[in-house]
Amino acid sequence: MKLDTHIASHDEDVKQVVLRISEVAKKISRGFATRRGASNTSNIYGEQQQAMDVWADELLISELRASKLVRYLASEEQPDVLTFEVSVSNIGVTIDPLDGSSLLDVNLAVGTIVGIYRGDVLSPGKEMLGAMYVLYGPLTTLTYCLREGVYEFAMDDNGDFVLQEENIVIPEGKIYAPGALRRDYLPAHRGFIEGLEAEGYKLRYSGSFVADVHQILHKGGVFTYPAYAGREMGKLRLLFEAAPMGFIVSQAGGAVSDGRRDLLTIKPEAVSQRVPVYIGGKREITLIEGMHKEDTL
Ligand code: FDP
């Protein structure tokens, strides 16, 4: 079944946003070969942008503006939330145009992550209407969740997204994907990681958040990018990375946390807000939250 047929029963405005982004994602998937290397620009976090980061960002912004389907657009590559007065809807989206782009030079998987809101995007993740991500790997896949079920599609030879898996549920599994340097771990996090290792969890970390979480969604376990010495708010962005991927994993029966509480309950104070991230099975998330509680007793 193709994406447009599968999504037919959802609200017209949200459905059209997902379909329009899926069309842009097809263009992005065909853009890698001719846009190699770094751009001579940095984003608001001071990170060097790749040519693909800049192009994918401009493409998503221009196509969503022209579509009139979206009123507010926050992009990880832009300093401020854009408002499109021409919009016929009240939908807000958050977009990480190309997550993991520092891996483009070595041809590892990267992705586009999107959160969809009714109105203001500076809202807790649990208020999302839905979320989706596109993973550009050996296959280009699209995973979406509009609050009922997590579904995955793969792009076929005709460029259509065709249903691959329905009602995805995160399995139990023993994989851990730990970001940050071990020497900088804080005590509760160190205990958590050592506990997983003692239980035989296998380390699998590519350095592309979207790809690493995708693996956890399918194989179980936990992805972490914790708070650490020198960066107590962690590295990943609440609005662009943690909340939408956490929403999808939570809807698939997993959980997402900043290590102390459900990350989807956090109301962002700024678009650029960073957050420590634990995302994966409920068992692993309960473990780290318990360890932080013990740590503060
Ligand atoms: P990237 O800088 O390549 O865009 O937050 C961005 C991110 O990658 C995540 O995708 C990834 O999980 C993380 O940074 C990787 O950080 P480390 O290099 O510190 O592992």
Side-chain angles (χ1 to χ4, degrees):
M1 187 190 291
K2 290 189 194 166
L3 179 62
D4 53 350
T5 313
H6 188 266
I7 208 170
S9 65
H10 288 281
D11 282 358
E12 192 59 25
D13 50 357
V14 180
K15 179 180 99 180
Q16 290 303 336
V17 169
V18 173
L19 289 175
R20 186 59 67 108
I21 292 172
S22 77
E23 292 303 316
V24 184
K26 290 177 191 173
K27 292 186 186 171
I28 294 175
S29 74
R30 293 191 290 266
F32 291 102
T34 51
R35 290 172 191 84
R36 312 285 296 269
S39 140
N40 55 6
T41 51
S42 314
N43 63 16
I44 55 161
Y45 309 94
E47 297 163 350
Q48 158 106 70
Q49 289 175 302
Q50 303 296 311
M52 270 303 285
D53 282 324
V54 176
W55 179 69
D57 186 43
E58 286 171 0
L59 191 63
L60 282 156
I61 292 173
S62 66
E63 298 236 354
L64 287 174
R65 181 191 281 121
S67 76
K68 301 189 181 164
L69 295 167
V70 163
R71 180 166 296 271
Y72 307 107
L73 188 156
S75 163
E76 194 182 271
E77 305 299 334
Q78 298 291 328
D80 301 307
V81 179
L82 307 174
T83 303
F84 302 144
E85 301 293 354
V86 291
S87 173
V88 293
S89 85
N90 191 34
I91 287 187
V93 294
T94 63
I95 298 185
D96 184 349
L98 218 52
D99 180 65
S101 58
S102 67
L103 296 174
L104 284 171
D105 57 350
V106 288
N107 195 31
L108 291 191
V110 296
T112 300
I113 306 174
V114 181
I116 307 170
Y117 295 81
R118 180 75 62 207
D120 190 6
V121 297
L122 285 179
S123 306
K126 64 178 165 48
E127 290 177 16
M128 256 182 252
L129 298 174
M132 62 189 282
Y133 64 89
V134 178
L135 187 64
Y136 311 101
L139 288 174
T140 294
T141 60
L142 184 155
T143 305
Y144 86 86
C145 172
L146 296 180
R147 303 200 77 98
E148 29 177 88
V150 176
Y151 301 94
E152 192 170 301
F153 295 76
M155 199 162 80
D156 68 10
D157 288 346
N158 302 319
D160 293 319
F161 281 112
V162 179
L163 185 63
Q164 176 160 291
E165 207 171 325
E166 290 192 274
N167 295 314
I168 297 172
V169 174
I170 183 172
E172 284 181 16
K174 287 195 166 181
I175 289 177
Y176 73 120
L181 291 180
R182 185 175 281 258
R183 66 164 194 219
D184 297 331
Y185 284 176
L186 300 175
H189 183 74
R190 181 179 301 281
F192 174 62
I193 294 294
E194 286 174 359
L196 297 180
E197 287 166 350
E199 283 187 62
Y201 277 63
K202 185 191 277 183
L203 191 154
R204 284 193 176 175
Y205 181 83
S206 75
S208 164
F209 173 66
V210 61
D212 288 330
V213 173
H214 179 78
Q215 173 170 225
I216 297 296
L217 174 66
H218 284 279
K219 298 190 173 171
V222 64
F223 171 97
T224 79
Y225 209 113
Y228 60 89
R231 204 179 236 183
E232 278 67 21
M233 290 309 289
K235 175 182 182 189
L236 301 186
R237 268 62 48 143
L238 172 60
L239 222 56
F240 303 111
E241 296 167 312
M245 294 303 282
F247 179 88
I248 290 172
V249 171
S250 298
Q251 294 281 331
V256 62
S257 174
D258 68 353
R260 296 166 195 278
R261 61 190 158 153
D262 184 343
L263 184 145
L264 299 178
T265 62
I266 301 174
K267 171 145 174 49
E269 284 163 18
V271 281
S272 58
Q273 188 168 330
R274 297 180 193 265
V275 69
V277 178
Y278 295 82
I279 177 167
K282 278 194 175 137
R283 175 181 176 273
E284 290 83 358
I285 303 307
T286 307
L287 259 176
I288 182 60
E289 288 184 349
M291 294 184 94
H292 273 125
K293 257 190 211 116
E294 270 173 36
D295 209 32
T296 48
L297 288 180

